Amino acid sequence: SGWLGSSLSALFQDLPTGAVIVLVGAAIFTFSLVCGSARGILPRFVRQTRLKRKVGRQHLLRAIYEILESRQLDNLEPVSNLSIDLDSLTTHRSWSYAALNRLLRTARAEDHLEKEKAGRIRLSEAGFGEASRVTRNHRLWELYLIRHADIAPSHVDRDADLVEHVLDADVVQQLEMELQGRPIRMDVPPSPHLIDQSAG
């Protein structure tokens, strides 16, 4: 900043060197504060926005999967990908219609939903696969917390919710190894707790 300030001061003779150096230093600091790759305000905002969108998408997909799962007559049969009404989603997660519509727009943009008649939604093939994966990872983490962190099944859902969105494939594989002997060989293990269909 000193060199740049001195250069500008020499280039424009009417500018005082000290003031220019201070202004250049302040400008560099401000740019770093806003755009710094590690802790910059703008990159942090972008990361938080992406994470928020990811969390919302995963909550939506898991909610749809759990609703479909609850309507299975035989728990041993694979979950069927059927259409569901929007009211069941707002009841399941306590979403407002405005919040739900934002999530649905994102899901449609990511090709996770098929076209359905008004008031109903249905997962696409890709969306159903992603919903299964998200639900499976959530329940693997729940089982791990119950076994190794002594968290009661009735409280584990919230704790798992704080971590599941950052689980990568290696962590999931490690969870599977840690939980040998539990019913995790199924595509999606059963929930270790009662799923409240009237709240999120």
Side-chain angles (χ1 to χ4, degrees):
S1 63
W3 175 83
L4 183 58
S6 299
S7 299
L8 288 174
S9 179
L11 187 61
F12 301 98
Q13 295 182 357
D14 293 335
L15 296 178
T17 303
V20 172
I21 291 175
V22 171
L23 289 174
V24 169
I28 293 174
F29 171 78
T30 302
F31 179 81
S32 176
L33 179 67
V34 174
C35 300
S37 59
R39 298 185 179 180
I41 295 173
L42 185 58
R44 185 184 302 175
F45 174 78
V46 171
R47 288 193 297 268
Q48 289 176 344
T49 300
R50 288 176 178 171
L51 179 60
K52 185 177 180 180
R53 185 180 296 119
K54 178 182 179 181
V55 169
R57 174 178 60 82
Q58 291 186 351
H59 282 171
L60 175 67
L61 294 175
R62 181 158 60 89
I64 295 173
Y65 189 91
E66 288 174 349
I67 291 171
L68 293 173
E69 190 178 47
S70 70
R71 296 179 180 178
Q72 289 288 113
L73 297 178
D74 186 350
N75 292 334
L76 298 179
E77 290 293 322
V79 175
S80 299
N81 184 19
L82 307 173
S83 68
I84 63 173
D85 59 278
L86 294 181
D87 289 337
S88 61
L89 268 176
T90 55
T91 301
H92 186 77
R93 292 291 303 194
S94 300
W95 281 315
S96 67
Y97 279 103
L100 178 57
N101 283 328
R102 285 195 298 270
L103 294 172
L104 293 176
R105 282 196 299 270
T106 301
R108 290 190 183 97
E110 295 178 349
D111 198 29
H112 286 152
L113 295 178
E114 293 182 351
K115 288 186 177 180
E116 277 288 329
K117 61 183 180 181
R120 300 190 68 83
I121 59 170
R122 178 189 174 102
L123 291 170
S124 64
E125 183 177 350
F128 185 74
E130 180 67 5
S132 301
R133 185 192 69 81
V134 167
T135 306
R136 184 174 191 271
N137 289 353
H138 178 82
R139 292 181 182 173
L140 285 174
W141 189 243
E142 285 182 326
L143 291 170
Y144 179 85
L145 291 176
I146 290 171
R147 173 182 279 193
H148 296 286
D150 293 327
I151 296 177
S154 58
H155 294 85
V156 74
D157 184 53
R158 298 285 184 184
D159 294 277
D161 214 24
L162 297 174
V163 181
E164 65 172 306
H165 308 291
V166 294
L167 295 178
D168 58 24
D170 292 337
V171 175
V172 172
Q173 186 177 15
Q174 187 175 354
L175 287 174
E176 292 172 341
M177 294 175 62
E178 289 281 347
L179 294 168
Q180 288 180 354
R182 300 300 293 266
I184 61 171
R185 296 185 182 276
M186 302 171 62
D187 289 339
V188 180
S191 176
H193 58 84
L194 180 65
I195 296 176
D196 186 357
Q197 296 293 331
S198 63

